[in-house]
Amino acid sequence: MNINAEVVEQAKPAIDADTRNARPLRLITCGSVDDGKSTLIGRLLWDTKAVKEDQADALARDNRNQQNGLGLPDFALLLDGLQAEREQGITIDVAYRYFSSEKRSFIVADTPGHEQYTRNMATGASTADLAILLVDARTGILEQTRRHATIATLMGIRQFVLAVNKIDLIDYDRLRFDEIATQFRQLALSLGVTDVTAIPMSALLGENVVYSGKTNMPWYVGKSLVEVLELATQRSAQTVGFRLPVQRVSRPNEGFRGYQGTVAGGSVKPGDSVVILPSGTVANVKQIVTFDLVRNAAVAGDAITLVLDRPVDIARGDMIASIDAAPASGLSFEAKLVALAPDGVSAQKRYWLKSSSRRQRVRVNPKTLLDLKSGQWNDADALPLNGIGTVQLAFDEEALFDPYETNRNTGAFILIDPDTNNTVAGGMIVARSAAVDGLSSDDGLDQTLLSLPSDLAKKLMQSDVFKAMREQIEIRHTSANRASSILRELD
């Protein structure tokens, strides 16, 4: 076929997206390197007429169009926009693209397959409703396939499409397809995922992507990829109370005080009672203001300024929440981590933890590390680069979280190395810990926990004995009620 003639045909405008769902389905492609993720998305864009005419012309002029020997464009070039990506033929950064079928609209993220860019894959998965996990039919499921499937699950994705790609290179072998599908379903079950659709396909040839591949695969009677995506469900609304992490206190004049931020969960309306955390102060909502109007209500995702019915001491990093459905608070939380720095995550090292607008000091105590080959969680005292593990977080001051499964916005966080300011890990809160591991060290020394009035504690810290042993002493400031609660838990 003449490429230029095909380009004109493929560049026809798509159907008006207003006829689709109001919110597009968000999805990612993931899997090991060279499994064909960029090619698959390029083919999706091409066959759904989402390639604009100038893009199609540029693709037709590219001197590598004939490299596949089939006279077809290099569809991956529609996604790989960085010069380094084009030179190396790999994906480095996350590329987002929009396309539509006759029934639905989509936003797709093309994520890197290389292990060194795992952090970029995690970024793409954090907002996705569904994951397309590609597997090369020749090589099957690899360690990076398992890593990406695990990270996608940790990020809350519960719908997977297993795209067994390059099926044409094994002569459309049905037995091989069934073998890979069975292996992945076993992996998915171990991760708690049951919604898996396996599709044999050739992304390059477009078989079972948008159009049916029954000519060469009469044994496959399932749906094409686009048909599966059209039937996929969006993530259900997370059921928590109102959450507003305060990003800024607005005081344009003496008569106005508002608290600005993006609603991270639930809804709010004037007259609702709220609690300000961590102080515990209670107030009522007087007014909800946006940049151009006064609102009768606000829901998750809205950027608002909240006006309360009384003066309250609130600062950036505090949270305004439903009085009857507040987030969990405490000094210790269980979490799952993905280590993203070359040095990994070290036991008992102090990091900055950033969640929403709040930043706190935290000590990390690794518990287990996932063995991607066996699927077992083994005991561990550190997490290496790209390691996935469970940890206990011990805070110096009261922390506020929801479980990630309940609220992604208030249950996700990153760890920052205080020495380099580099992001070292991304994490998801599992639950508040019953025990408070951080209050005693694991070095075998006896420890004594004292609860003292603030003024007496300050005098003690000024003593020569205290200064001489500063490195062996851990300090935590907390309220008298919280101190009493901790002592009761330890008795």
Side-chain angles (χ1 to χ4, degrees):
M1 177 183 295
N2 181 279
I3 292 296
N4 289 323
E6 187 180 9
V7 162
V8 174
E9 176 64 23
Q10 300 295 342
K12 290 181 180 178
I15 297 172
D16 187 355
D18 289 341
T19 62
R20 315 308 198 286
N21 291 358
R23 173 164 108 64
L25 183 79
R26 300 185 69 99
L27 56 124
I28 63 165
T29 57
C30 53
S32 190
V33 64
D34 292 333
D35 282 351
K37 295 178 292 298
S38 296
T39 299
L40 173 61
I41 299 180
R43 172 57 87 168
L44 272 171
L45 298 177
W46 187 265
D47 286 349
T48 58
K49 315 298 188 292
V51 180
K52 298 184 183 302
E53 189 170 352
D54 58 340
Q55 293 175 307
D57 289 341
L59 193 63
R61 291 193 304 268
D62 194 285
N63 59 14
R64 288 182 290 175
N65 280 349
Q66 305 299 325
Q67 278 192 353
N68 50 50
L70 301 173
L72 294 173
D74 186 351
F75 296 113
L77 295 180
L78 293 171
L79 280 297
D80 294 336
L82 299 177
Q83 185 65 29
E85 293 177 322
R86 289 174 173 254
E87 290 174 351
Q88 300 178 54
I90 63 171
T91 298
I92 297 174
D93 202 0
V94 181
Y96 293 91
R97 295 293 185 271
Y98 175 93
F99 70 97
S100 299
S101 70
E102 293 185 357
K103 298 180 180 179
R104 198 167 192 177
S105 300
F106 308 91
I107 298 175
V108 59
D110 181 29
T111 62
H114 281 263
E115 185 174 345
Q116 69 190 90
Y117 302 121
T118 297
R119 67 170 61 205
N120 295 353
M121 179 271 158
T123 299
S126 64
T127 59
D129 302 303
L130 176 146
I132 303 173
L133 189 72
L134 276 86
V135 175
D136 189 322
R138 299 168 299 178
T139 58
I141 296 174
L142 304 174
E143 181 174 313
Q144 188 69 342
T145 314
R146 295 176 179 273
R147 177 177 287 107
H148 279 193
T150 303
I151 292 174
T153 304
L154 292 179
M155 293 294 179
I157 297 176
R158 294 294 179 266
Q159 297 175 97
F160 281 82
V161 173
L162 177 67
V164 182
N165 193 27
K166 305 183 183 181
I167 194 78
D168 55 307
L169 299 183
I170 60 168
D171 296 326
Y172 304 97
D173 187 341
R174 178 177 183 175
L175 293 179
R176 177 59 173 161
F177 167 74
D178 290 339
E179 177 188 2
I180 294 173
T182 299
Q183 290 176 355
F184 182 75
R185 285 195 171 94
Q186 292 173 348
L187 170 63
L189 283 175
S190 71
L191 298 173
V193 175
T194 57
D195 189 348
V196 177
T197 302
I199 304 175
M201 68 175 61
S202 170
L204 180 62
L205 301 179
E207 295 174 308
N208 285 334
V209 179
V210 173
Y211 304 114
S212 172
K214 65 176 60 176
T215 300
N216 290 313
M217 289 173 280
W219 46 267
Y220 177 70
V221 295
K223 296 178 173 60
S224 68
L225 175 60
V226 163
E227 290 173 328
V228 172
L229 297 180
E230 288 175 341
L231 296 174
T233 59
Q234 296 172 346
R235 280 189 179 184
S236 59
Q238 294 163 311
T239 55
V240 296
F242 173 65
R243 305 282 186 268
L244 181 72
V246 177
Q247 298 175 358
R248 181 174 179 267
V249 179
S250 175
R251 288 296 305 276
N253 55 59
E254 288 295 327
F256 184 91
R257 181 192 297 268
Y259 307 101
Q260 298 179 331
T262 300
V263 180
S267 61
V268 68
K269 63 183 184 300
D272 286 353
S273 295
V274 294
V275 59
I276 292 82
L277 299 171
S279 70
T281 305
V282 175
N284 295 319
V285 177
K286 179 180 179 181
Q287 196 176 45
I288 302 170
V289 182
T290 62
F291 74 98
D292 61 346
L293 49 82
V294 175
R295 299 275 294 272
N296 293 323
V299 298
D302 290 344
I304 63 171
T305 299
L306 207 63
V307 181
L308 303 180
D309 65 345
R310 68 199 71 175
V312 181
D313 182 14
I314 301 177
R316 173 180 168 84
D318 290 350
M319 183 181 292
I320 303 175
S322 299
I323 194 170
D324 57 349
S329 62
L331 295 176
S332 183
F333 284 81
E334 300 289 340
K336 290 184 177 179
L337 282 187
V338 180
L340 303 173
D343 295 334
V345 177
S346 303
Q348 295 302 317
K349 179 173 179 176
R350 290 164 64 83
Y351 296 96
W352 282 113
L353 182 145
K354 180 75 167 59
S355 177
S356 299
S357 57
R358 192 172 178 85
R359 191 176 76 157
Q360 294 178 269
R361 285 284 195 177
V362 67
R363 198 181 299 275
V364 179
N365 183 18
K367 297 292 189 181
T368 62
L369 175 67
L370 176 62
D371 184 335
L372 291 168
K373 294 181 180 178
S374 67
Q376 300 297 314
W377 293 85
N378 302 320
D379 293 342
D381 55 9
L383 301 183
L385 173 64
N386 294 325
I388 300 170
T390 61
V391 302
Q392 187 172 46
L393 305 174
F395 292 89
D396 292 350
E397 299 177 341
E398 196 93 351
L400 306 167
F401 293 107
D402 289 299
Y404 184 82
E405 286 287 341
T406 304
N407 189 320
R408 283 181 291 169
N409 296 312
T410 55
F413 62 89
I414 60 172
L415 293 181
I416 301 170
D417 189 323
D419 299 324
T420 63
N421 285 325
N422 291 331
T423 300
V424 300
M428 291 69 66
I429 295 293
V430 176
R432 190 175 78 87
S433 298
V436 188
D437 286 1
L439 291 175
S440 61
S441 67
D442 295 326
D443 55 10
L445 297 176
D446 291 335
Q447 301 284 310
T448 300
L449 177 65
L450 300 177
S451 176
L452 302 173
S454 179
D455 56 348
L456 179 58
K458 290 178 181 177
K459 291 180 180 180
L460 178 62
M461 288 187 286
Q462 293 171 356
S463 68
D464 292 337
V465 173
F466 183 95
K467 293 177 181 178
M469 302 184 68
R470 179 65 186 87
E471 294 302 317
Q472 302 177 41
I473 299 173
E474 183 173 341
I475 302 172
R476 292 187 177 184
H477 301 283
T478 188
S479 66
N481 289 338
R482 180 56 188 161
S484 299
S485 174
I486 294 171
L487 290 171
R488 286 195 300 271
E489 289 180 13
L490 294 177
D491 286 341

PDB file of all heavy atoms in Angstrom, residues 43-63:
ATOM      1  N   ARG A  43      -0.282   2.018  17.155  1.00  0.00           N
ATOM      2  CA  ARG A  43      -1.281   1.339  16.320  1.00  0.00           C
ATOM      3  C   ARG A  43      -2.695   1.717  16.762  1.00  0.00           C
ATOM      4  O   ARG A  43      -3.590   1.929  15.925  1.00  0.00           O
ATOM      5  CB  ARG A  43      -1.066  -0.168  16.393  1.00  0.00           C
ATOM      6  CG  ARG A  43      -2.146  -1.005  15.719  1.00  0.00           C
ATOM      7  CD  ARG A  43      -2.328  -0.645  14.263  1.00  0.00           C
ATOM      8  NE  ARG A  43      -1.436  -1.359  13.382  1.00  0.00           N
ATOM      9  CZ  ARG A  43      -1.573  -1.382  12.043  1.00  0.00           C
ATOM     10  NH1 ARG A  43      -2.587  -0.725  11.474  1.00  0.00           N
ATOM     11  NH2 ARG A  43      -0.719  -2.016  11.291  1.00  0.00           N
ATOM     12  N   LEU A  44      -2.928   1.829  18.066  1.00  0.00           N
ATOM     13  CA  LEU A  44      -4.233   2.260  18.560  1.00  0.00           C
ATOM     14  C   LEU A  44      -4.584   3.651  18.031  1.00  0.00           C
ATOM     15  O   LEU A  44      -5.696   3.892  17.552  1.00  0.00           O
ATOM     16  CB  LEU A  44      -4.231   2.287  20.090  1.00  0.00           C
ATOM     17  CG  LEU A  44      -4.600   0.998  20.834  1.00  0.00           C
ATOM     18  CD1 LEU A  44      -4.324   1.154  22.322  1.00  0.00           C
ATOM     19  CD2 LEU A  44      -6.054   0.635  20.602  1.00  0.00           C
ATOM     20  N   LEU A  45      -3.615   4.564  18.122  1.00  0.00           N
ATOM     21  CA  LEU A  45      -3.849   5.925  17.637  1.00  0.00           C
ATOM     22  C   LEU A  45      -4.119   5.927  16.140  1.00  0.00           C
ATOM     23  O   LEU A  45      -4.977   6.645  15.633  1.00  0.00           O
ATOM     24  CB  LEU A  45      -2.638   6.807  17.957  1.00  0.00           C
ATOM     25  CG  LEU A  45      -2.289   6.995  19.439  1.00  0.00           C
ATOM     26  CD1 LEU A  45      -1.020   7.820  19.583  1.00  0.00           C
ATOM     27  CD2 LEU A  45      -3.438   7.654  20.183  1.00  0.00           C
ATOM     28  N   TRP A  46      -3.351   5.118  15.424  1.00  0.00           N
ATOM     29  CA  TRP A  46      -3.456   5.059  13.959  1.00  0.00           C
ATOM     30  C   TRP A  46      -4.818   4.515  13.522  1.00  0.00           C
ATOM     31  O   TRP A  46      -5.504   5.104  12.689  1.00  0.00           O
ATOM     32  CB  TRP A  46      -2.335   4.186  13.425  1.00  0.00           C
ATOM     33  CG  TRP A  46      -2.187   4.154  11.939  1.00  0.00           C
ATOM     34  CD1 TRP A  46      -2.714   3.239  11.069  1.00  0.00           C
ATOM     35  CD2 TRP A  46      -1.442   5.076  11.129  1.00  0.00           C
ATOM     36  NE1 TRP A  46      -2.350   3.523   9.782  1.00  0.00           N
ATOM     37  CE2 TRP A  46      -1.567   4.650   9.791  1.00  0.00           C
ATOM     38  CE3 TRP A  46      -0.689   6.199  11.406  1.00  0.00           C
ATOM     39  CZ2 TRP A  46      -0.956   5.313   8.728  1.00  0.00           C
ATOM     40  CZ3 TRP A  46      -0.074   6.867  10.354  1.00  0.00           C
ATOM     41  CH2 TRP A  46      -0.221   6.431   9.035  1.00  0.00           C
ATOM     42  N   ASP A  47      -5.224   3.406  14.127  1.00  0.00           N
ATOM     43  CA  ASP A  47      -6.451   2.746  13.686  1.00  0.00           C
ATOM     44  C   ASP A  47      -7.723   3.416  14.218  1.00  0.00           C
ATOM     45  O   ASP A  47      -8.811   3.162  13.693  1.00  0.00           O
ATOM     46  CB  ASP A  47      -6.443   1.276  14.111  1.00  0.00           C
ATOM     47  CG  ASP A  47      -5.493   0.440  13.254  1.00  0.00           C
ATOM     48  OD1 ASP A  47      -5.023   0.964  12.225  1.00  0.00           O
ATOM     49  OD2 ASP A  47      -5.215  -0.722  13.613  1.00  0.00           O
ATOM     50  N   THR A  48      -7.607   4.239  15.253  1.00  0.00           N
ATOM     51  CA  THR A  48      -8.775   4.981  15.741  1.00  0.00           C
ATOM     52  C   THR A  48      -8.824   6.390  15.168  1.00  0.00           C
ATOM     53  O   THR A  48      -9.612   7.223  15.616  1.00  0.00           O
ATOM     54  CB  THR A  48      -8.774   5.058  17.285  1.00  0.00           C
ATOM     55  OG1 THR A  48      -7.565   5.681  17.728  1.00  0.00           O
ATOM     56  CG2 THR A  48      -8.922   3.686  17.905  1.00  0.00           C
ATOM     57  N   LYS A  49      -7.966   6.649  14.168  1.00  0.00           N
ATOM     58  CA  LYS A  49      -7.934   7.941  13.468  1.00  0.00           C
ATOM     59  C   LYS A  49      -7.581   9.107  14.400  1.00  0.00           C
ATOM     60  O   LYS A  49      -8.060  10.221  14.233  1.00  0.00           O
ATOM     61  CB  LYS A  49      -9.298   8.236  12.794  1.00  0.00           C
ATOM     62  CG  LYS A  49      -9.912   7.068  12.047  1.00  0.00           C
ATOM     63  CD  LYS A  49      -9.055   6.594  10.894  1.00  0.00           C
ATOM     64  CE  LYS A  49      -9.787   5.550  10.036  1.00  0.00           C
ATOM     65  NZ  LYS A  49     -10.024   4.276  10.717  1.00  0.00           N
ATOM     66  N   ALA A  50      -6.731   8.829  15.396  1.00  0.00           N
ATOM     67  CA  ALA A  50      -6.331   9.875  16.337  1.00  0.00           C
ATOM     68  C   ALA A  50      -5.023  10.548  15.933  1.00  0.00           C
ATOM     69  O   ALA A  50      -4.557  11.445  16.633  1.00  0.00           O
ATOM     70  CB  ALA A  50      -6.187   9.286  17.743  1.00  0.00           C
ATOM     71  N   VAL A  51      -4.421  10.113  14.825  1.00  0.00           N
ATOM     72  CA  VAL A  51      -3.172  10.714  14.340  1.00  0.00           C
ATOM     73  C   VAL A  51      -3.511  11.917  13.469  1.00  0.00           C
ATOM     74  O   VAL A  51      -4.207  11.787  12.465  1.00  0.00           O
ATOM     75  CB  VAL A  51      -2.351   9.691  13.540  1.00  0.00           C
ATOM     76  CG1 VAL A  51      -1.061  10.325  13.040  1.00  0.00           C
ATOM     77  CG2 VAL A  51      -2.045   8.468  14.408  1.00  0.00           C
ATOM     78  N   LYS A  52      -3.029  13.079  13.860  1.00  0.00           N
ATOM     79  CA  LYS A  52      -3.302  14.280  13.085  1.00  0.00           C
ATOM     80  C   LYS A  52      -2.517  14.249  11.774  1.00  0.00           C
ATOM     81  O   LYS A  52      -1.524  13.549  11.636  1.00  0.00           O
ATOM     82  CB  LYS A  52      -2.931  15.526  13.897  1.00  0.00           C
ATOM     83  CG  LYS A  52      -3.750  15.663  15.175  1.00  0.00           C
ATOM     84  CD  LYS A  52      -3.430  16.947  15.896  1.00  0.00           C
ATOM     85  CE  LYS A  52      -4.198  17.034  17.217  1.00  0.00           C
ATOM     86  NZ  LYS A  52      -5.661  16.951  17.031  1.00  0.00           N
ATOM     87  N   GLU A  53      -2.992  15.031  10.817  1.00  0.00           N
ATOM     88  CA  GLU A  53      -2.434  14.968   9.476  1.00  0.00           C
ATOM     89  C   GLU A  53      -0.952  15.314   9.456  1.00  0.00           C
ATOM     90  O   GLU A  53      -0.171  14.664   8.752  1.00  0.00           O
ATOM     91  CB  GLU A  53      -3.209  15.902   8.546  1.00  0.00           C
ATOM     92  CG  GLU A  53      -2.821  15.742   7.073  1.00  0.00           C
ATOM     93  CD  GLU A  53      -3.756  16.500   6.151  1.00  0.00           C
ATOM     94  OE1 GLU A  53      -4.779  17.020   6.636  1.00  0.00           O
ATOM     95  OE2 GLU A  53      -3.451  16.551   4.948  1.00  0.00           O
ATOM     96  N   ASP A  54      -0.537  16.344  10.233  1.00  0.00           N
ATOM     97  CA  ASP A  54       0.880  16.699  10.219  1.00  0.00           C
ATOM     98  C   ASP A  54       1.733  15.612  10.856  1.00  0.00           C
ATOM     99  O   ASP A  54       2.855  15.343  10.421  1.00  0.00           O
ATOM    100  CB  ASP A  54       1.103  18.041  10.921  1.00  0.00           C
ATOM    101  CG  ASP A  54       0.617  18.034  12.358  1.00  0.00           C
ATOM    102  OD1 ASP A  54      -0.210  17.161  12.694  1.00  0.00           O
ATOM    103  OD2 ASP A  54       1.066  18.896  13.146  1.00  0.00           O
ATOM    104  N   GLN A  55       1.182  14.927  11.894  1.00  0.00           N
ATOM    105  CA  GLN A  55       1.906  13.811  12.487  1.00  0.00           C
ATOM    106  C   GLN A  55       2.035  12.656  11.500  1.00  0.00           C
ATOM    107  O   GLN A  55       3.088  12.023  11.394  1.00  0.00           O
ATOM    108  CB  GLN A  55       1.172  13.318  13.740  1.00  0.00           C
ATOM    109  CG  GLN A  55       1.162  14.294  14.897  1.00  0.00           C
ATOM    110  CD  GLN A  55       0.326  13.773  16.041  1.00  0.00           C
ATOM    111  OE1 GLN A  55      -0.849  13.411  15.876  1.00  0.00           O
ATOM    112  NE2 GLN A  55       0.914  13.724  17.224  1.00  0.00           N
ATOM    113  N   ALA A  56       0.960  12.395  10.794  1.00  0.00           N
ATOM    114  CA  ALA A  56       0.984  11.312   9.812  1.00  0.00           C
ATOM    115  C   ALA A  56       1.974  11.612   8.687  1.00  0.00           C
ATOM    116  O   ALA A  56       2.697  10.715   8.232  1.00  0.00           O
ATOM    117  CB  ALA A  56      -0.420  11.100   9.245  1.00  0.00           C
ATOM    118  N   ASP A  57       2.020  12.867   8.232  1.00  0.00           N
ATOM    119  CA  ASP A  57       2.975  13.239   7.177  1.00  0.00           C
ATOM    120  C   ASP A  57       4.410  13.070   7.663  1.00  0.00           C
ATOM    121  O   ASP A  57       5.270  12.578   6.932  1.00  0.00           O
ATOM    122  CB  ASP A  57       2.730  14.689   6.750  1.00  0.00           C
ATOM    123  CG  ASP A  57       1.437  14.852   5.955  1.00  0.00           C
ATOM    124  OD1 ASP A  57       0.944  13.828   5.439  1.00  0.00           O
ATOM    125  OD2 ASP A  57       0.928  15.983   5.875  1.00  0.00           O
ATOM    126  N   ALA A  58       4.667  13.493   8.902  1.00  0.00           N
ATOM    127  CA  ALA A  58       6.011  13.354   9.460  1.00  0.00           C
ATOM    128  C   ALA A  58       6.394  11.888   9.594  1.00  0.00           C
ATOM    129  O   ALA A  58       7.529  11.497   9.335  1.00  0.00           O
ATOM    130  CB  ALA A  58       6.096  14.054  10.810  1.00  0.00           C
ATOM    131  N   LEU A  59       5.421  11.072   9.985  1.00  0.00           N
ATOM    132  CA  LEU A  59       5.679   9.643  10.122  1.00  0.00           C
ATOM    133  C   LEU A  59       5.989   9.013   8.769  1.00  0.00           C
ATOM    134  O   LEU A  59       6.874   8.170   8.638  1.00  0.00           O
ATOM    135  CB  LEU A  59       4.458   8.965  10.750  1.00  0.00           C
ATOM    136  CG  LEU A  59       4.639   7.536  11.257  1.00  0.00           C
ATOM    137  CD1 LEU A  59       5.651   7.489  12.381  1.00  0.00           C
ATOM    138  CD2 LEU A  59       3.301   6.989  11.733  1.00  0.00           C
ATOM    139  N   ALA A  60       5.271   9.450   7.738  1.00  0.00           N
ATOM    140  CA  ALA A  60       5.491   8.919   6.389  1.00  0.00           C
ATOM    141  C   ALA A  60       6.858   9.310   5.847  1.00  0.00           C
ATOM    142  O   ALA A  60       7.461   8.568   5.074  1.00  0.00           O
ATOM    143  CB  ALA A  60       4.390   9.424   5.463  1.00  0.00           C
ATOM    144  N   ARG A  61       7.369  10.489   6.257  1.00  0.00           N
ATOM    145  CA  ARG A  61       8.663  10.947   5.767  1.00  0.00           C
ATOM    146  C   ARG A  61       9.843  10.335   6.508  1.00  0.00           C
ATOM    147  O   ARG A  61      10.981  10.400   6.041  1.00  0.00           O
ATOM    148  CB  ARG A  61       8.753  12.477   5.894  1.00  0.00           C
ATOM    149  CG  ARG A  61       7.833  13.236   4.951  1.00  0.00           C
ATOM    150  CD  ARG A  61       8.216  14.717   4.909  1.00  0.00           C
ATOM    151  NE  ARG A  61       8.200  15.309   6.222  1.00  0.00           N
ATOM    152  CZ  ARG A  61       7.146  15.921   6.747  1.00  0.00           C
ATOM    153  NH1 ARG A  61       5.998  15.981   6.055  1.00  0.00           N
ATOM    154  NH2 ARG A  61       7.198  16.460   7.952  1.00  0.00           N
ATOM    155  N   ASP A  62       9.576   9.760   7.690  1.00  0.00           N
ATOM    156  CA  ASP A  62      10.691   9.239   8.481  1.00  0.00           C
ATOM    157  C   ASP A  62      11.424   8.150   7.711  1.00  0.00           C
ATOM    158  O   ASP A  62      10.825   7.227   7.161  1.00  0.00           O
ATOM    159  CB  ASP A  62      10.172   8.670   9.806  1.00  0.00           C
ATOM    160  CG  ASP A  62      11.289   8.434  10.793  1.00  0.00           C
ATOM    161  OD1 ASP A  62      12.023   7.457  10.607  1.00  0.00           O
ATOM    162  OD2 ASP A  62      11.433   9.236  11.739  1.00  0.00           O
ATOM    163  N   ASN A  63      12.727   8.226   7.687  1.00  0.00           N
ATOM    164  CA  ASN A  63      13.511   7.298   6.864  1.00  0.00           C
ATOM    165  C   ASN A  63      13.585   5.901   7.442  1.00  0.00           C
ATOM    166  O   ASN A  63      14.211   5.014   6.852  1.00  0.00           O
ATOM    167  CB  ASN A  63      14.931   7.837   6.636  1.00  0.00           C
ATOM    168  CG  ASN A  63      15.688   8.070   7.942  1.00  0.00           C
ATOM    169  OD1 ASN A  63      15.272   7.607   8.996  1.00  0.00           O
ATOM    170  ND2 ASN A  63      16.798   8.782   7.858  1.00  0.00           N
TER     171      ASN A  63
END
